Amino acid sequence: MLVFSQKSKLTTYLASQTSEHKTIGFVPTMGALHSGHISLIKNALKNNNITVVSIFVNPTQFNNSDDLKKYPRTLEKDIEKIKKISDKVIVFAPSVEDIYDKSVKSVSFDFDGIENQMEGKHRPGHFDGVGTIVKKLFEIVKPNNAYFGEKDFQQLQIIKKMVAKENLIVNIIGCEILRESNGLAMSSRNERLSKETREKSAIIFKFLKRTKVLFQNKSAQEISKIAAKTFKNTNNFELEYFEICDEEKLLPCLRKNKLKKYRAFIAVYADGVRLIDNISISE
Ligand code: PAF
């Protein structure tokens, strides 16, 4: 299996392999691969001639240096996991210097306000960092199709917006959330949970499923109050936000509109580990 750590070598190799008829599928990741990533990779393999997976913990999207330091880095294991599905996948695992040269900074984007909601509110600068790295990676890999998980639904919408605004020629494909057997959304951060907290974190998806039922006859504001109460009464869990927003602009639902599709979004600290999840609550 080919593993590149330098962008110049990867671009030269890809240029030698691609032709008009070959498509490149791309799965950008920060490593610590789990079944959610594996399913994105399988999707890319099935629908493209060439599949590239990047493994890069992007410093500019972390607004908390401790979170960046603690982010799991498991390159060797990740490569083994990819090899098990196919040795045809091309891995790109660059260094920070190779990607950013001397200036480890993000570009400032205008995502029409989507960036100011939820994750953007609680992680200032996060989406500028995401936009910066994804654009850089797209320029290097030049994918036809790029795959992103819906667990980071706001990120998915941001990337679609960036592609539209910057006229980038790439299809953005959102893939459904994969869950552990107790319903917890798969995430690299789950590795940092104790066995007990990982089990107890089932409460997050359980509450999201309850939201779907509650939304049939309660307002978003009423459900937010129930969320605050539920997590206040659950030891070791701290609710950062719970919001019901429309899927397109990600604006909070102040009054239900039948023409809009809604999702419930949640961010919770479980024993200090930040977990996010979401669910579609429109029929
Ligand atoms: O979702 C992620 O893992 C990251 O935000 C991404 C898209 C790989 C950019 O660093």
Side-chain angles (χ1 to χ4, degrees):
M1 199 174 74
L2 290 170
V3 180
F4 291 90
S5 58
Q6 282 171 286
K7 61 181 178 214
S8 55
K9 297 228 162 100
L10 176 70
T11 46
T12 308
Y13 176 77
L14 288 176
S16 74
Q17 295 300 305
T18 43
S19 68
E20 256 180 49
H21 311 290
K22 281 190 181 171
T23 59
I24 300 182
F26 178 43
V27 183
T29 82
M30 296 208 296
L33 302 184
H34 50 69
S35 309
H37 295 116
I38 299 300
S39 109
L40 299 182
I41 299 171
K42 284 186 176 163
N43 209 340
L45 278 166
K46 202 165 113 192
N47 295 299
N48 299 277
N49 304 100
I50 296 171
T51 294
V52 179
V53 175
S54 65
I55 298 178
F56 179 67
V57 181
N58 173 37
T60 64
Q61 70 187 74
F62 286 82
N63 60 319
N64 175 329
S65 54
D66 200 42
D67 195 23
L68 172 61
K69 211 159 62 194
K70 287 186 180 154
Y71 203 87
R73 288 160 174 88
T74 54
L75 183 60
E76 293 309 315
K77 272 197 202 160
D78 292 341
I79 291 174
E80 285 312 309
K81 281 184 189 165
I82 297 174
K83 259 190 206 157
K84 275 194 189 143
I85 29 171
S86 167
D87 59 4
K88 288 203 177 81
V89 174
I90 297 163
V91 172
F92 179 43
S95 64
V96 173
E97 296 71 37
D98 188 56
I99 288 289
Y100 282 97
D101 296 318
K102 288 197 176 76
S103 174
V104 189
K105 281 195 188 130
S106 36
V107 176
S108 185
F109 288 93
D110 173 5
F111 296 118
D112 292 343
I114 301 181
E115 71 275 25
N116 301 325
Q117 308 299 324
M118 299 182 289
E119 290 299 287
K121 223 183 274 172
H122 293 274
R123 304 181 70 188
H126 171 64
F127 287 124
D128 279 340
V130 170
T132 302
I133 187 62
V134 172
K135 192 166 173 229
K136 277 179 186 287
L137 292 169
F138 282 175
E139 280 160 5
I140 297 166
V141 178
K142 299 186 178 59
N144 301 82
N145 301 304
Y147 299 80
F148 294 85
E150 283 188 346
K151 181 177 74 69
D152 299 291
F153 191 85
Q154 191 176 3
Q155 168 174 280
L156 177 63
Q157 298 303 70
I158 290 265
I159 290 163
K160 285 183 181 166
K161 180 68 79 181
M162 179 178 80
V163 165
K165 284 194 139 193
E166 311 245 336
N167 296 316
L168 307 178
I169 306 166
V170 49
N171 299 315
I172 302 301
I173 296 157
C175 302
E176 67 177 31
I177 302 172
L178 255 76
R179 299 187 176 279
E180 301 192 355
S181 57
N182 67 353
L184 175 65
M186 287 193 182
S187 162
S188 306
R189 289 170 202 264
N190 295 355
E191 294 302 316
R192 288 174 50 205
L193 299 169
S194 68
K195 198 165 173 256
E196 195 193 339
T197 307
R198 199 159 172 161
E199 235 2 274
K200 276 174 72 183
S201 298
I203 185 181
I204 299 168
F205 187 51
K206 216 165 135 196
F207 188 77
L208 288 179
K209 283 193 294 186
R210 192 174 157 211
T211 298
K212 195 169 177 166
V213 179
L214 290 171
F215 196 58
Q216 287 166 12
N217 46 33
K218 284 198 190 302
S219 69
Q221 294 79 351
E222 283 169 318
I223 304 172
S224 294
K225 281 186 193 151
I226 300 173
K229 221 173 176 180
T230 305
F231 285 90
K232 200 168 173 207
N233 294 335
T234 310
N235 284 345
N236 306 340
F237 285 79
E238 194 191 316
L239 181 65
E240 186 173 64
Y241 67 76
F242 170 85
E243 289 202 30
I244 293 179
C245 300
D246 71 271
E247 283 194 355
E248 203 197 321
K249 296 195 169 153
L250 299 185
L251 290 172
C253 166
L254 302 176
R255 181 184 283 194
K256 291 179 199 175
N257 177 339
K258 283 209 168 82
L259 300 174
K260 288 185 179 169
K261 284 193 163 182
Y262 293 101
R263 259 178 199 259
F265 296 85
I266 194 164
V268 171
Y269 281 93
D271 266 347
V273 179
R274 192 171 186 277
L275 304 172
I276 62 170
D277 201 350
N278 68 82
I279 190 172
S280 161
I281 54 172
S282 298
E283 281 316 310

